[in-house]
Amino acid sequence: LEGREQTLSEIAVPILRNGRAIGTLNLESDELDAFGSGDVENLRFFADAASISIEKAMLHRQILEKERIEEQLEVASNVQARLLPECSPAVPGYEIAGTCLSTYEIGGDYFDYIELPDGGLGIVVADVSGQGIPAALIMAAFRALLRTQTRIDPNPARIADAMKRLLPDFTGEANFVTCVYGVLNPANGGFTYVNCGHIPPMLLRADGRIEELKPGGPIFSGVIEHESYCERDTVVEPGDVLVLYTDGVVEIMNDEQEEFGVGRLMKILRRSSDLPVEEIIGEVVRATQEFTGSVSSDDDFTLVVVRRE
C-alpha cells in the first residue's frame, strides 16, 4: 500500500503476543525529525497495552466459543440419549438390561432392542470407529438404516447384506462399523444372529461353561469388497446368560499398559451370574473402573446382558 504523501517522519513498533508479532502500532508526522527515542519508548508502552487488551479480547472470544460448543454438545448428547433405549423390554421369562457409557459427551457405540412383528426381539450392539461427533453421526445413520431394514426383512443375514451395501454412503472410506445383530425367539430361547466383524458375544451356560459367538462376516466398510453374510443359530437355555459388548469393555488399560481382557470379563460373569442383570452390569463397570483407577475411559463402553429365567 502507498503511504501518505505528506508523511515526513514515521515510527513503528510491533504488537507482540507470546513472542509473536500480531500487529503494528504506527505513528506518522508531516514534520521532519518529529520523533525521538523517548517517543519510541512511549509507543512501545502503548503497544504492550494494546497486546494485553487484544489477548483479553481473544480469550473472551474463545470462552464464548467454548460455551457455545458445550451447549451444542449438551443438546447433541440429549438427542443421542433418545436414540438409545429408554428402558429394558419386558419379555416374559427373560431379564434384559444394557448400558452405554461414552468417553465424550457423545460417542459411536450403540445398542438397541427392536420389537418384531412375529413376536421376536431384535438385539443389536454396534461400534463405530473413532470417537466424538463424527462417530456419533455415523451411529445415528446406522440406527436409522438398521431399523428401516428390520421392517423390510427381519432376517439377520439379509439385513447385514443390506447394511453393507447402504452404510458406506455415510462412513466413506475413513470409518467402519462392527456389529452383532440377532433375533431372540422368546418362546424357545432361539437366537439367530449375524456377527459383522464385532468382538464375539459370550453365552454363559447355566453349568458355568462359556461359549463365544464367533464372527460370521466382515466389518461394514467402504473399502472392503462386498460378500454375503451367514447367520448362525444358538439357543439361550433356562439359566443361561447372553452378553453382548463393545471392545471398550475389554480393551481398556491400566497405568501399566495392561489390558483388562476377555479373561477378566469371564471371571466376573461367572461369579455374578446369579445376580439380576442390572447388577451384573454394575459389577463389570465397577471392576473396569477399579482396574484402570478411573471412572472415565479412553473408549466408549457398551454392555447388554440377557438372562433366560
Side-chain angles (χ1 to χ4, degrees), residues 181-247:
Y181 173 72
V183 176
L184 176 68
N185 183 340
N188 58 18
F191 187 65
T192 302
Y193 69 93
V194 60
N195 188 332
C196 308
H198 196 79
I199 190 167
M202 294 182 187
L203 184 56
L204 175 62
R205 296 298 186 181
D207 60 7
R209 292 179 297 112
I210 291 183
E211 300 174 9
E212 290 187 304
L213 309 188
K214 297 296 184 180
I219 61 177
F220 296 133
S221 170
V223 298
I224 296 180
E225 299 245 345
H226 179 73
E227 64 177 83
S228 297
Y229 290 85
C230 297
E231 64 188 37
R232 302 190 181 192
D233 297 289
T234 189
V235 177
V236 182
E237 302 284 358
D240 290 351
V241 178
L242 176 64
V243 181
L244 302 89
Y245 58 100
T246 58
D247 56 11

Side-chain angles (χ1 to χ4, degrees), residues 18-292:
N18 297 328
R20 184 173 61 90
I22 60 173
T24 302
L25 201 55
N26 180 275
L27 286 182
E28 299 179 10
S29 174
D30 297 344
E31 299 178 6
L32 287 172
D33 296 326
F35 305 111
S37 59
D39 296 317
V40 174
E41 291 303 318
N42 289 334
L43 195 59
R44 283 177 178 161
F45 170 80
F46 286 111
D48 291 342
S51 174
I52 295 172
S53 298
I54 292 171
E55 184 169 14
K56 287 183 177 179
M58 294 175 68
L59 288 174
H60 180 66
R61 181 176 180 179
Q62 290 174 0
I63 290 172
L64 293 178
E65 182 68 14
K66 183 174 181 291
E67 290 177 350
R68 184 182 67 83
I69 293 174
E70 288 176 348
E71 289 175 359
Q72 293 180 352
L73 285 174
E74 184 178 356
V75 172
S77 178
N78 292 334
V79 171
Q80 187 176 52
R82 291 197 293 270
L83 299 180
L84 299 174
E86 291 184 1
C87 59
S88 299
V91 181
Y94 294 84
E95 281 186 90
I96 303 174
T99 188
C100 181
L101 307 175
S102 296
T103 301
Y104 303 112
E105 288 84 351
I106 54 179
D109 273 14
Y110 167 63
F111 78 97
D112 208 351
Y113 316 115
I114 304 173
E115 295 183 3
L116 302 174
D118 61 0
L121 179 69
I123 302 175
V124 59
V125 167
D127 186 1
V128 179
S129 63
Q131 297 173 340
I133 295 175
L137 292 173
I138 295 173
M139 184 275 273
F142 177 89
R143 178 187 185 274
L145 286 174
L146 178 67
R147 282 184 162 263
T148 299
Q149 293 304 312
T150 58
R151 298 189 190 100
I152 297 172
D153 185 348
N155 178 271
R158 289 194 289 270
I159 285 178
D161 286 336
M163 296 291 287
K164 172 67 179 174
R165 185 178 69 255
L166 298 171
L167 199 58
D169 289 342
F170 299 91
T171 62
E173 295 185 356
N175 296 92
F176 61 87
V177 180
T178 69
C179 88
V180 174
Y181 173 72
V183 176
L184 176 68
N185 183 340
N188 58 18
F191 187 65
T192 302
Y193 69 93
V194 60
N195 188 332
C196 308
H198 196 79
I199 190 167
M202 294 182 187
L203 184 56
L204 175 62
R205 296 298 186 181
D207 60 7
R209 292 179 297 112
I210 291 183
E211 300 174 9
E212 290 187 304
L213 309 188
K214 297 296 184 180
I219 61 177
F220 296 133
S221 170
V223 298
I224 296 180
E225 299 245 345
H226 179 73
E227 64 177 83
S228 297
Y229 290 85
C230 297
E231 64 188 37
R232 302 190 181 192
D233 297 289
T234 189
V235 177
V236 182
E237 302 284 358
D240 290 351
V241 178
L242 176 64
V243 181
L244 302 89
Y245 58 100
T246 58
D247 56 11
V249 176
V250 293
E251 293 184 359
I252 55 174
M253 293 187 176
N254 59 17
D255 293 337
E256 287 73 39
Q257 297 302 300
E258 181 184 9
E259 195 172 83
F260 185 76
V262 174
R264 286 186 175 86
L265 178 59
M266 287 181 175
K267 290 180 181 179
I268 295 169
L269 295 177
R270 283 194 175 101
R271 73 169 183 248
S272 61
S273 60
D274 293 333
L275 299 175
V277 290
E278 291 88 352
E279 294 185 23
I280 293 177
I281 291 176
E283 287 294 313
V284 175
V285 171
R286 185 159 40 252
T288 56
Q289 291 177 349
E290 290 176 355
F291 179 77
T292 61

